[in-house]
Amino acid sequence: MDFTNLLAPEVQAFINQNIDSDITRLLLKKSPFPNVTMQEIIQQIKGKKVAQRKFAFLLKDNLVFPPNLNLEQASSQSTAEYKAQTLKGNSFLDLTSGFGIDAYFLSQNFEEVTLVEQNPGLIKIVEHNWKTLNREANFINQNLEEFLEFNKEKFDVIYLDPARRDQNNKKKFLLEDLSPNLLEIQEKLSSISDKIIVKLSPLIDISYLVSELQNINEVKIIAVRNEVKELVLIIDTKKEREKSKDTKITCVNLESDEPEFSFYINEEKIATSEFSESLNYLYIPNNSILKAGAFNIISEKFGLKKLHPNTHFYTSENKIEHFPGRILQVEKIDGKELKKNDQFNIISKNYPLKPDEIKKKYKLKDGGNRYLIFTQSIIGKEILRSR
């Protein structure tokens, strides 16, 4: 694949000048360049726009972007940087390179890097970009299963991000439905590396993963701005796991000032919560904590009381700092105190009415700096207003 025409200075200048142009209108125009189609130009414009929000390190001259599907499936720069924080060694293997965002960051502390990708056009793009960015690697255009069948090398770390959609683009969540099937290749992977890192959908059940896969040392639940983006499994076949082979769960909410929260699965099983009506402060865990099911251990470790067995809100009389979520100082109110057109951010948890129904009932407006929480505590329904 030759990118010479696409990387001509005048073509690159045109692309940069039209980053904010209307794509539909551009498609109706004829390309001003005889050797580059308007479709190719628009692909690059779309790529740069995705890079603006997902991987700013690629906002450089002379880089090439693949079709939009490959861009959307790629990890963001922030999640890739986070995953790379504790990795180092001699040899790194990415078996599902894709657009190479994860590999670029995860491999930064390794001497030898190997990227495997079955899409020939995509691996050529990655190879070109890495050379432009002065990063070296072995780029292999091959099916993952074929590579594993003939490979004789061992690697310090293996990374893979199995495809989670079938031929009809439907999402898949069982391990045997992913491509590759982790259950089929886990022994082969363990034979060529002691550490395997697997990125999975945030919708996959954690207890299911731990029961089906061997040697999961840690599960990282990665959220960005309170949206859970991915689960990352750290499979360590040699290291003795702590807590009698218990699995560690680490919850993180990137691009926030909230701290990480870690616990072991068995800790949550034996943890208990005390219950209380709402007190002076209300604590709302971020979504990585909720995905982890850390409903009792979070209460125990921070010395907080839980509002209700089915309400994952917590409370205290005095403020507890460094909580992994939102902390609001609140007061109980009666619904009759609410006035027409009052403006609030409305939260409804374990309460009969949804936020839209609440707005309609009390004739409230959405937004502003104040919060209105409709919930249930151990003594019954409560309406809380942030101070």
Side-chain angles (χ1 to χ4, degrees):
M1 184 177 290
D2 187 3
F3 306 117
T4 304
N5 294 328
L6 191 61
L7 296 173
E10 62 273 18
V11 177
Q12 290 292 299
F14 182 84
I15 290 168
N16 290 330
Q17 289 163 8
N18 285 277
I19 290 296
D20 297 318
S21 296
D22 186 298
I23 297 296
T24 305
R25 288 186 179 182
L26 274 181
L27 271 172
L28 298 175
K29 295 181 179 179
K30 183 181 178 182
S31 170
F33 310 104
N35 298 317
V36 181
T37 68
M38 188 56 80
Q39 285 78 12
E40 289 175 308
I41 289 170
I42 287 173
Q43 180 176 307
Q44 298 311 301
I45 290 172
K46 288 181 176 179
K48 284 181 178 285
K49 290 182 79 67
V50 172
Q52 286 175 344
R53 62 180 171 85
K54 284 189 72 174
F55 18 76
F57 80 102
L58 291 182
L59 293 173
K60 293 180 172 65
D61 293 334
N62 299 317
L63 298 182
V64 178
F65 293 93
N68 222 43
L69 180 61
N70 301 122
L71 294 170
E72 293 300 335
Q73 289 177 341
S75 291
S76 67
Q77 182 172 339
S78 61
T79 60
E81 287 177 327
Y82 173 76
K83 284 177 282 192
Q85 286 178 1
T86 58
L87 288 181
K88 60 181 180 179
N90 181 58
S91 55
F92 175 87
L93 169 66
D94 187 336
L95 283 169
T96 53
S97 166
F99 189 38
I101 303 298
D102 277 325
Y104 185 85
F105 290 98
L106 270 68
S107 68
Q108 61 190 353
N109 293 321
F110 291 81
E111 298 291 328
E112 299 174 7
V113 180
T114 301
L115 275 62
V116 178
E117 171 55 49
Q118 64 181 353
N119 182 326
L122 190 54
I123 195 70
K124 283 293 182 184
I125 289 174
V126 175
E127 183 174 3
H128 164 81
N129 287 347
W130 279 43
K131 287 181 178 177
T132 303
L133 295 167
N134 295 315
R135 287 292 303 276
E136 295 183 356
N138 301 314
F139 300 93
I140 299 176
N141 176 209
Q142 193 173 24
N143 176 281
L144 176 152
E145 285 81 6
E146 290 178 0
F147 176 85
L148 289 176
E149 183 180 352
F150 296 104
N151 170 70
K152 304 297 182 184
E153 292 184 57
K154 290 199 172 185
F155 301 87
D156 293 331
V157 174
I158 295 177
Y159 178 78
L160 67 160
D161 177 6
R164 301 187 285 272
R165 293 180 183 271
D166 63 14
Q167 294 178 340
N168 298 318
N169 207 33
K170 290 184 178 179
K171 291 183 179 180
K172 295 294 182 181
F173 303 110
L174 296 178
L175 292 170
E176 58 264 33
D177 293 332
L178 304 182
S179 179
N181 180 342
L182 289 172
L183 299 175
E184 289 183 348
I185 66 171
Q186 61 179 329
E187 287 190 16
K188 179 62 177 176
L189 294 176
S190 296
S191 71
I192 60 172
S193 182
D194 294 341
K195 179 167 283 189
I196 302 146
I197 301 174
V198 185
K199 172 186 167 185
L200 294 171
S201 163
L203 299 178
I204 291 183
D205 183 72
I206 294 172
S207 58
Y208 161 72
L209 293 173
V210 172
S211 68
E212 293 294 320
L213 287 171
Q214 302 170 9
N215 303 310
I216 298 178
N217 193 56
E218 184 177 5
V219 179
K220 292 181 180 285
I221 304 171
I222 304 176
V224 180
R225 297 179 186 176
N226 209 29
E227 181 183 353
V228 179
K229 293 292 188 179
E230 55 194 64
L231 298 187
V232 176
L233 310 184
I234 312 296
I235 298 172
D236 199 328
T237 59
K238 297 296 182 185
K239 181 180 177 182
E240 285 188 22
R241 287 189 279 156
E242 301 174 58
K243 301 277 183 178
S244 301
K245 295 190 176 181
D246 196 1
T247 299
K248 184 180 181 181
I249 309 293
T250 297
C251 308
V252 61
N253 186 20
L254 300 178
E255 299 181 28
S256 78
D257 59 0
E258 298 168 10
E260 282 190 11
F261 181 75
S262 296
F263 66 99
Y264 289 87
I265 288 178
N266 284 339
E267 286 185 306
E268 171 62 26
K269 289 179 181 177
I270 63 174
T272 57
S273 293
E274 291 183 35
F275 298 96
S276 169
E277 62 184 299
S278 61
L279 303 171
N280 200 21
Y281 288 92
L282 185 76
Y283 302 80
I284 304 174
N286 69 46
N287 284 328
S288 71
I289 303 289
L290 298 178
K291 171 62 185 178
F295 305 135
N296 291 322
I297 194 67
I298 195 83
S299 174
E300 201 172 82
K301 286 201 172 185
F302 282 90
L304 302 172
K305 291 181 168 60
K306 202 168 188 280
L307 290 192
H308 185 277
N310 298 322
T311 304
H312 305 312
F313 288 166
Y314 303 83
T315 192
S316 70
E317 194 61 45
N318 299 309
K319 188 175 183 181
I320 305 295
E321 302 285 357
H322 309 301
F323 179 80
R326 189 180 299 148
I327 306 173
L328 298 173
Q329 188 171 12
V330 295
E331 59 184 351
K332 292 182 195 176
I333 65 168
D334 189 294
K336 295 175 183 178
E337 297 179 45
L338 297 171
K339 297 177 182 178
K340 183 179 179 180
N341 293 327
D342 272 352
Q343 192 173 33
F344 292 98
N345 294 296
I346 298 171
I347 298 172
S348 174
K349 288 290 170 68
N350 196 19
Y351 193 84
L353 300 179
K354 296 178 181 178
D356 285 342
E357 295 170 323
I358 290 168
K359 281 189 290 183
K360 184 176 180 181
K361 177 179 178 178
Y362 292 100
K363 298 180 173 59
L364 302 173
K365 289 186 176 180
D366 201 12
N369 298 319
R370 296 183 298 169
Y371 286 85
L372 199 61
I373 301 100
F374 290 73
T375 189
Q376 185 173 178
S377 77
I378 201 70
I379 64 168
K381 297 184 184 68
E382 293 190 13
I383 303 175
L384 308 175
R385 181 170 58 198
S386 64
R387 295 182 184 178

